[in-house]
């Protein structure tokens, strides 16, 4: 318990340092302070879970490097950023795959009014962000398509686990998915069209909260009921 508390304390300190830098210093300083957060989350994960999935540290390293490139030069390193973000989204989707069964993926369980409204909103948001970004970039359409597909997959996996609700703490994944959507929208606007320190603070706060709740889910979740042994999983 002492080790776990120390790991949480490390994360909380990292969070405060990053937000303080975002509020009071130039955003370039985040190049040196932001990597502390994914490192703290790796420590928290390793200290808190018995069976370590090594895909998780890889995802956190992708986040760490992404944040460095974002604050070095977002437009110059846009392709690299999209590739790294795609690694994170796809990696986390595979990491969460074990929480989804084939039975969960049946359309009649998933196609509900809230889901349709959410899908329309996400599709509109992605279309709007892409329309804003493409004119300012020389990126390959395939890079952009990869980013869109990976973001949609990540959101779908999170929302599916939350909706089926077979695991405790599934609300954490709903928060994670919402945070990811907000970050993708605000970051493109802040770095390419209208920079404001307020957006920088919000982006960093929301990103860290989303990552934190993802880790909390992986650490704390357990089935709400016993799953039959003959259950088929992906």
């Amino acid at each position: 318990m002492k080790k776990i508390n120390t790991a949480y304390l490390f994360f909380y300190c990292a969070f405060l340092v990053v937000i303080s830098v975002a509020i009071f210093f130039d955003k370039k300083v985040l190049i040196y302070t932001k990597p502390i957060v994914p490192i703290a989350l790796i420590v928290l994960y390793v200290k808190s879970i018995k069976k370590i999935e090594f895909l998780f540290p890889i995802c956190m390293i992708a986040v760490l490097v992404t944040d460095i490139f974002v604050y070095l030069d977002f437009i110059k390193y846009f392709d690299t950023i999209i590739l790294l973000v795609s690694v994170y989204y796809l990696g986390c989707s595979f990491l969460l795959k074990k929480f989804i069964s084939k039975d969960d993926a049946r359309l009649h369980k998933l196609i509900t009014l809230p889901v349709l409204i959410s899908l329309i909103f996400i599709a509109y948001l992605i279309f709007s962000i892409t329309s804003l970004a493409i004119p300012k970039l020389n990126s390959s359409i395939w890079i952009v398509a990869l980013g869109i597909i990976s973001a949609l997959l990540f959101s779908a996996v999170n929302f599916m686990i939350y909706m089926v609700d077979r695991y405790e703490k599934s609300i954490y994944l709903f928060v994670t998915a919402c945070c990811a959507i907000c970050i993708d929208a605000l970051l493109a606007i802040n770095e390419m069209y209208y920079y404001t320190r307020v957006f920088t603070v919000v982006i960093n706060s929301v990103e860290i909260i989303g990552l934190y709740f993802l880790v909390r889910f992986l650490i704390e979740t357990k089935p709400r009921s016993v799953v039959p042994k003959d259950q088929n999983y992906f």
Side-chain angles (χ1 to χ4, degrees):
M1 184 63 70
K2 185 177 180 180
K3 290 183 179 179
I4 294 177
N5 289 339
T6 302
Y8 275 103
L9 181 61
F10 179 29
F11 167 76
Y12 296 144
C13 290
F15 177 76
L16 289 175
V17 167
V18 170
I19 300 307
S20 297
V21 168
I23 294 173
F24 298 110
F25 296 90
D26 186 271
K27 68 176 182 177
K28 294 290 185 182
V29 181
L30 289 168
I31 296 172
Y32 308 102
T33 57
K34 191 70 180 290
I36 302 173
V37 170
I39 292 172
L41 290 172
I42 291 174
V43 172
L44 177 58
Y45 177 81
V46 171
K47 294 290 187 181
S48 304
I49 201 164
K50 293 180 179 178
K51 186 178 179 181
I52 298 172
E53 298 279 355
F54 287 97
L55 192 56
F56 178 79
I58 292 173
C59 292
M60 290 299 102
I61 291 171
V63 171
L64 186 156
V65 180
T66 298
D67 288 332
I68 292 174
F69 281 122
V70 164
Y71 294 110
L72 278 175
D73 192 321
F74 182 83
I75 294 178
K76 180 180 179 180
Y77 297 109
F78 182 80
D79 287 4
T80 303
I81 290 169
I82 292 295
L83 287 173
L84 288 167
V85 169
S86 298
V87 168
Y88 166 74
Y89 282 149
L90 294 174
C92 287
S93 298
F94 279 107
L95 196 62
L96 295 170
K97 183 180 69 172
K98 65 182 180 181
F99 298 104
I100 302 174
S101 70
K102 290 182 179 180
D103 186 60
D104 294 338
R106 292 180 181 177
L107 288 178
H108 73 274
K109 287 187 175 184
L110 302 178
I111 302 303
T112 61
L113 182 59
V115 173
L116 290 174
I117 294 174
S118 299
L119 288 175
I120 292 171
F121 171 73
I122 293 172
Y124 172 75
L125 191 60
I126 289 175
F127 174 77
S128 300
I129 295 171
T130 304
S131 300
L132 285 172
I134 291 298
K136 285 205 169 190
L137 301 168
N138 296 317
S139 300
S140 167
I141 189 65
W142 299 109
I143 296 293
V144 177
L146 175 63
I148 292 173
I149 292 170
S150 61
L152 286 174
L153 177 62
F154 177 71
S155 298
V157 169
N158 280 270
F159 284 133
M160 186 182 298
I161 297 172
Y162 166 70
M163 289 161 45
V164 175
D165 199 27
R166 288 195 303 107
Y167 289 88
E168 295 181 1
K169 315 292 185 181
S170 59
I171 185 66
Y172 290 173
L173 294 184
F174 178 81
V175 175
T176 296
C178 291
C179 288
I181 294 169
C182 291
I183 294 165
D184 291 341
L186 290 178
L187 188 61
I189 295 171
N190 199 43
E191 296 297 329
M192 290 191 293
Y193 284 92
Y194 178 73
Y195 173 78
T196 171
R197 186 182 295 273
V198 173
F199 273 15
T200 300
V201 175
V202 171
I203 289 167
N204 282 278
S205 300
V206 172
E207 179 186 351
I208 296 172
I209 290 170
L211 293 172
Y212 175 68
F213 276 105
L214 173 64
V215 177
R216 286 285 301 272
F217 175 81
L218 295 173
I219 292 172
E220 299 177 10
T221 193
K222 57 184 178 180
R224 291 188 182 278
S225 59
V226 178
V227 180
K229 292 184 179 179
D230 60 349
Q231 183 80 34
N232 293 319
Y233 288 90
F234 287 133

